[in-house]
Amino acid sequence: MYALPDQMVRSKALARCGLVLLSLWLCIQSVPISVDKTKEKAKEEELGPPESDTGLHYDRYLREVIEYLEKDPHFREKLKNANMDDIKQGKLSKELNFVQHNFRTKLDELKREEMNRLRMLIKAKHDIKEGNVDHQALLKQFEHLNHKNPHTFEVDDLDRLIKSATNDLENFDKDRHDEFKQYEMMKEHERRQRLKNLNEEDRKKEEEHYEEMKKKHASHPKVNHPGSEDQLKEVWQEADGLDPEDFDPKTFFKMHDSNGDGFFDESELEALFTKELEKVYNPENEEDDMVEMEEERLRMREHVMNEVDTNKDRLVSLSEFMAATKKEEFYEKDEWETLDQNPLYTEEELREFEQQLANEENDINKKSAELQKEREELERKQEELDAQKLGLKQVNYLSTIHSR
C-alpha cells in the first residue's frame, strides 16, 4: 500500500536506524504485484494506514512509546540521523533527556500501564500454575523495561526497549521456523496414529494415498531461485505484462517499491515470490498445505535478504538491489529446492517430540485425576454438611415440640 508523505519520511528515518521494530510499527505493507496501485493509494488515503503486529508480547507498548517519541522535534531529528552503531551503543537513548516535558510525562504513564499489564499477567500465570512457576522465565517478561523503577520512563527504559525488541525480532524468524517444525511433526504424528487404528487393508490404502499425494505435490513446474534474474523476469513478464527482453532492474525496483520509500521491506520482497509459490501450492489441492506455503515464502525471503541486504537492516535499498544484480548468484539457473526436498526433522527428533506429547498427556491425566479426587472430596464434605444441617433441623424441631 502507499504511505502518506509524512509516513514515508518517517519510514526512511526508521530504516536508517536499522531497526525493523521501528519500521514495523508504521505497518507499511506492499500490495500484491497485480493490484492497481492508483486505486490502492486512493483507498489508503481514505482509510489511513493499516496496523501490523510485530508479534512481540509488548507490541502495543513499543508502538506507543515510538509514537510519542516521534512527536518530539528534537528526538525525531536525532532519529533521522542515527545509525545502527549509535543505537546499539545507547547514544540514541540518551537523547531522551532532551525530550519535552509533556511527552516525558506521557511516557511515564505508558510505562506504568505496561507495569500493571505485566503484573496482571504474572498473577494470572501464578494462579493457573498454583505457585509452581518458572521465575527466570517470568523475569524475561520484564526485560524490555526497568521494573525496579516502576514509575518513570528513563534513558535505561528506552535502551532496554530498543535492545530487547531488536534481539527479539532477530529471533522472530527462528521462532517461526521452530513452530513450523513442531507443526510438521504433529502432522506426521497424527498420521501415524491414524494408521495404527486401521485394519491392514485400510492402512495399505491410506499409505498408497499418502504416497500419491506426495508425488502430486512434488510434480510442479521449475521454481526459480528467489531473487535471480529468471525469477524477477518472470514477475516482469507475467505480473507486470512487460517483455522480458526489456527487463531493467532499476525500473523493476521502482515498480515494486510499492510505498515509494526507496526500500524493499520484507512484505514487498515476499510479494515478489507469489508467482513461484503458485507453481507449488494451490489451496484447492488436497496435496498442498498452505501453512507450508508460508514457510516456503519465509525461506525465500531469508535467502534473498542474506544475499542482498548487506548492511543487515532488514531492508533492501536500491543500491543494494542493483549491486546484487551484478553478482554471479543473480544468474543462478538451478531450481530452488522446496520444502519437500529438505527434511525438516529426523526420526529421532520425531520420537522425542512424541515422548514429549506423551509426557504432557500424562501430566494432564494426572492433574485431571487429582481434580476429580478433589471434586469427589468436596461432594463428600457437602453431603456430610447437608446431613449435619438436616440433623440440626430435626433436633430443633424436636426441641420445639418438647417445649410446648
Side-chain angles (χ1 to χ4, degrees):
M1 294 183 180
Y2 278 85
L4 300 177
D6 184 52
Q7 291 162 334
M8 286 169 59
V9 172
R10 204 180 288 175
S11 176
K12 290 179 181 178
L14 302 181
R16 292 181 63 179
C17 296
L19 292 173
V20 73
L21 69 97
L22 298 178
S23 58
L24 275 173
W25 86 280
L26 296 174
C27 314
I28 301 169
Q29 300 195 17
S30 58
V31 297
I33 44 187
S34 59
V35 170
D36 185 334
K37 297 180 183 178
T38 307
K39 292 179 182 177
E40 286 297 312
K41 183 176 181 180
K43 189 184 295 182
E44 177 162 25
E45 289 174 348
E46 178 183 346
L47 300 176
E51 289 207 350
S52 173
D53 198 308
T54 60
L56 304 175
H57 75 87
Y58 48 91
D59 176 83
R60 181 177 176 180
Y61 174 65
L62 171 65
R63 291 170 182 280
E64 290 177 339
V65 167
I66 296 170
E67 180 183 348
Y68 278 96
L69 286 173
E70 281 229 314
K71 290 178 180 178
D72 181 81
H74 173 81
F75 193 90
R76 182 182 176 86
E77 186 62 29
K78 291 295 181 180
L79 177 62
K80 199 181 296 184
N81 298 317
N83 59 44
M84 191 62 164
D85 290 335
D86 288 342
I87 293 166
K88 285 186 174 180
Q89 293 169 12
K91 292 181 181 178
L92 182 65
S93 300
K94 292 175 183 176
E95 298 300 329
L96 181 69
N97 291 323
F98 304 100
V99 170
Q100 294 175 14
H101 176 72
N102 58 321
F103 295 131
R104 287 294 298 270
T105 301
K106 184 61 183 177
L107 291 172
D108 294 344
E109 182 183 330
L110 291 175
K111 181 178 177 180
R112 288 193 290 270
E113 290 175 358
E114 178 69 358
M115 287 294 296
N116 287 334
R117 183 189 73 83
L118 290 171
R119 288 192 187 104
M120 290 176 66
L121 178 67
I122 299 289
K123 185 179 184 304
K125 288 186 175 181
H126 191 275
D127 291 345
I128 290 171
K129 297 190 176 182
E130 299 178 344
N132 185 25
V133 294
D134 183 345
H135 293 285
Q136 290 300 318
L138 290 181
L139 284 174
K140 286 184 70 66
Q141 302 282 338
F142 287 87
E143 286 185 345
H144 61 288
L145 46 70
N146 179 9
H147 62 276
K148 294 180 180 179
N149 169 19
H151 305 296
T152 58
F153 188 95
E154 305 295 341
V155 169
D156 186 44
D157 291 295
L158 182 56
D159 195 38
R160 285 170 181 254
L161 181 60
I162 289 173
K163 288 178 179 177
S164 292
T166 304
N167 182 64
D168 291 345
L169 284 165
E170 285 175 352
N171 293 324
F172 189 64
D173 286 345
K174 179 183 179 299
D175 291 341
R176 281 182 60 186
H177 288 310
D178 290 342
E179 287 174 9
F180 177 73
K181 184 176 179 178
Q182 297 269 323
Y183 167 81
E184 287 291 301
M185 287 194 291
M186 177 60 82
K187 197 165 68 170
E188 177 62 15
H189 166 71
E190 291 176 346
R191 187 186 76 83
R192 294 185 183 188
Q193 289 299 112
R194 284 196 304 272
L195 290 175
K196 287 180 182 178
N197 297 325
L198 298 177
N199 59 45
E200 186 175 349
E201 184 180 350
D202 289 340
R203 184 161 53 248
K204 184 178 179 182
K205 287 180 181 178
E206 184 65 25
E207 288 281 23
E208 289 174 352
H209 179 70
Y210 174 71
E211 292 300 325
E212 182 186 350
M213 291 299 101
K214 281 177 64 175
K215 287 179 182 177
K216 283 184 70 175
H217 176 70
S219 178
H220 53 72
K222 176 187 175 182
V223 178
N224 294 310
H225 234 71
S228 67
E229 182 185 43
D230 286 346
Q231 190 259 313
L232 299 184
K233 276 188 175 182
E234 195 166 282
V235 175
W236 175 274
Q237 180 179 13
E238 296 188 16
D240 302 332
L242 299 172
D243 189 336
E245 297 299 320
D246 298 329
F247 177 74
D248 177 67
K250 189 172 184 179
T251 302
F252 181 91
F253 184 94
K254 291 182 177 180
M255 286 176 64
H256 293 277
D257 173 20
S258 53
N259 60 21
D261 66 354
F263 297 90
F264 274 165
D265 61 26
E266 293 180 346
S267 58
E268 287 169 326
L269 268 182
E270 289 180 359
L272 300 178
F273 309 141
T274 301
K275 290 294 178 185
E276 298 304 318
L277 292 167
E278 286 176 349
K279 296 176 182 177
V280 187
Y281 299 95
N282 183 338
E284 303 298 321
N285 294 342
E286 178 189 351
E287 68 271 15
D288 298 335
D289 186 336
M290 294 301 104
V291 175
E292 292 179 359
M293 183 185 78
E294 291 310 312
E295 173 71 6
E296 195 76 75
R297 191 190 302 274
L298 173 58
R299 289 178 66 241
M300 288 179 169
R301 188 250 294 164
E302 285 180 326
H303 172 77
V304 173
M305 280 292 191
N306 287 336
E307 290 193 346
V308 182
D309 179 24
T310 53
N311 65 359
K312 304 305 175 186
D313 63 357
R314 297 179 74 130
L315 296 161
V316 175
S317 65
L318 175 59
S319 60
E320 286 175 322
F321 181 77
M322 294 304 295
T325 64
K326 295 176 174 60
K327 293 180 180 178
E328 184 179 341
E329 292 85 350
F330 184 64
Y331 303 98
E332 177 68 66
K333 297 294 182 184
D334 291 342
E335 183 172 2
W336 171 254
E337 289 189 356
T338 53
L339 281 169
D340 52 294
Q341 297 169 283
N342 293 275
L344 289 166
Y345 54 85
T346 63
E347 277 296 317
E348 182 180 354
E349 287 176 317
L350 182 59
R351 282 194 297 272
E352 290 175 359
F353 175 73
E354 290 180 322
Q355 184 59 55
Q356 181 185 340
L357 290 178
N359 292 341
E360 290 174 357
E361 185 177 0
N362 288 336
D363 289 342
I364 292 171
N365 291 337
K366 184 180 177 182
K367 185 67 175 177
S368 178
E370 289 173 357
L371 289 172
Q372 181 63 29
K373 284 183 180 180
E374 289 177 11
R375 179 181 175 181
E376 291 171 357
E377 180 65 18
L378 287 171
E379 288 175 348
R380 185 184 65 77
K381 288 181 178 179
Q382 184 64 49
E383 288 174 359
E384 290 178 355
L385 183 60
D386 290 342
Q388 288 174 4
K389 285 180 179 180
L390 181 59
L392 285 172
K393 282 183 180 180
Q394 290 173 344
V395 169
N396 290 335
Y397 176 71
L398 292 174
S399 297
T400 304
I401 292 175
H402 289 307
S403 64
R404 290 176 182 177

